[in-house]
DNA sequence: CCCGCGTGATTCAAATTTGAAACAGAGGAC
DNA sequence: GTCCTCTGTTTCAAATTTGAATCACGCGGG
């Protein structure tokens, strides 16, 4: 049944749908955020992540890891956000090598201003295409996909 | 129940899972293809699309559209693929403005060589995280997501 | 004929991303 | 103390992407 070297019709349909949805959605959300708030989706996600962290700050390395981006890419984006006044850097007294990115008050305001439109778009373009039950299945499956793609072992129940 | 300005727990879980899976998967597939075949995922997709087209050729504009990429981005990638000898351009006798990208024999060989590893990776990282029934639901939902993100109307049953 | 317009594609400069190399400080071996 | 090496981050050059501008051509109207 499962040809090893080719995708069958059903597999191809799901796979192409995923890739197409990911690309189109990313473009659309980027466009929406740029038009309405002047920031990119990546920058928005950086702000969100900082906002939800204790004291609204995170170390560069940890932030890069949670965003699944490279350290150098994050350095660049934090520099952009710093220019825009939405984030500032501060060193760490304990470990002089560490650098914290801190969400500024302007950054928090930007988030408050940008969130409603962005979230409405996520609902309109993504969430509403599924039932709540489907979303739950989707979330489980996609978390597993992410784990596998990152080369992590499957989560064990006893862990 | 549905707070207009915020994502609830279930919505957030599904949405973050989707974004995380898309990013991580894209990185991983790019890495796999580069290591094993020396081409990027985008280039692979270009080759696949051409291979499945009549006469293994497509007009630049049509190709860009089916890949959901920009025309200029495609021009660049076709130039790269042309340098590598995997694709060639040819003009169109009927319409001198039109340009066709044509898959070369080397391109076809590249595809044959790269496909097994790539498809195995897609299976391992993506498809196997779902049951066939889940994949069908996923495909329907994600196709709808892509349509919405592209601003197309919902497909009508009578169409 | 000549102009302006529409289409299909490429080119250009600017922004972003990537991966490698550089940097800087801490800690351990000796 | 000096030398390695490790960790956390930034910097750099090269590759890629983006959107705007440009180019080239055919067509219809004046």
């Amino acid at each position: 049944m499962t040809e090893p070297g080719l995708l069958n019709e059903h597999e191809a349909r799901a796979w192409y749908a995923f890739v197409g949805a990911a690309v189109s959605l990313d473009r659309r959300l980027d466009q929406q955020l740029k038009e309405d708030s002047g920031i990119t989706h990546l920058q928005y996600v950086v702000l969100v992540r900082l906002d939800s962290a204790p004291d609204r700050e995170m170390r560069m390395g940890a932030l890069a890891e949670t965003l699944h981006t490279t350290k150098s890419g994050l350095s660049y984006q934090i520099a952009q956000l710093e220019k825009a006044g939405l984030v500032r850097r501060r060193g760490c007294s304990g470990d002089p090598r560490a650098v914290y990115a801190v969400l500024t008050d302007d950054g928090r305001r930007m988030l408050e201003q940008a969130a409603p439109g962005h979230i409405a778009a996520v609902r309109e373009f993504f969430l509403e295409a599924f039932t709540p039950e489907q979303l739950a299945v989707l979330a489980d499956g996609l978390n597993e996909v992410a784990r596998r793609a990152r080369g992590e072992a499957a989560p064990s129940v006893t862990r």
Side-chain angles (χ1 to χ4, degrees), chain A residues 45-58 103 111:
Chain A
V45 173
V46 169
L47 299 182
V48 167
R49 191 72 196 76
L50 285 178
D51 190 48
S52 66
D55 292 333
R56 303 179 199 280
E57 64 181 17
M58 283 183 85
L103 189 66
L111 215 39

Side-chain angles (χ1 to χ4, degrees), chain A residues 7 9-21 145:
Chain A
L7 295 181
E9 184 191 344
H10 305 295
E11 291 173 324
R13 202 171 90 84
W15 173 236
Y16 291 147
F18 181 80
V19 174
V145 167

Side-chain angles (χ1 to χ4, degrees), chain A residues 27-68:
Chain A
R27 278 180 193 284
R28 186 59 175 267
L29 293 179
D30 238 32
Q31 180 196 352
Q32 184 272 320
L33 277 168
K34 270 184 211 156
E35 281 176 5
D36 295 355
S37 308
I39 59 177
T40 66
H41 187 203
L42 175 55
Q43 294 175 333
Y44 178 87
V45 173
V46 169
L47 299 182
V48 167
R49 191 72 196 76
L50 285 178
D51 190 48
S52 66
D55 292 333
R56 303 179 199 280
E57 64 181 17
M58 283 183 85
R59 291 173 65 144
M60 297 294 290
L63 187 52
E65 192 168 352
T66 71
L67 300 179
H68 315 306

Side-chain angles (χ1 to χ4, degrees), chain A residues 65 143-144 147-148 150-159:
Chain A
E65 192 168 352
N143 279 325
E144 175 64 17
R147 264 191 302 275
R148 291 175 182 223
R150 284 169 213 146
E152 299 166 13
S156 138
V157 228
T158 65
R159 180 179 164 189

Side-chain angles (χ1 to χ4, degrees), chain A residues 63-111:
Chain A
L63 187 52
E65 192 168 352
T66 71
L67 300 179
H68 315 306
T69 189
T70 61
K71 288 184 172 191
S72 64
L74 180 64
S75 264
Y76 175 80
Q77 284 301 340
I78 291 292
Q80 299 307 107
L81 289 169
E82 208 170 16
K83 275 186 211 163
L86 306 178
V87 161
R88 67 186 171 78
R89 284 172 158 99
R90 78 168 180 81
C92 173
S93 48
D95 183 350
R97 288 168 305 180
V99 173
Y100 282 83
V102 190
L103 189 66
T104 64
D105 290 343
D106 276 358
R108 198 146 82 246
R109 276 188 284 274
M110 165 62 83
L111 215 39

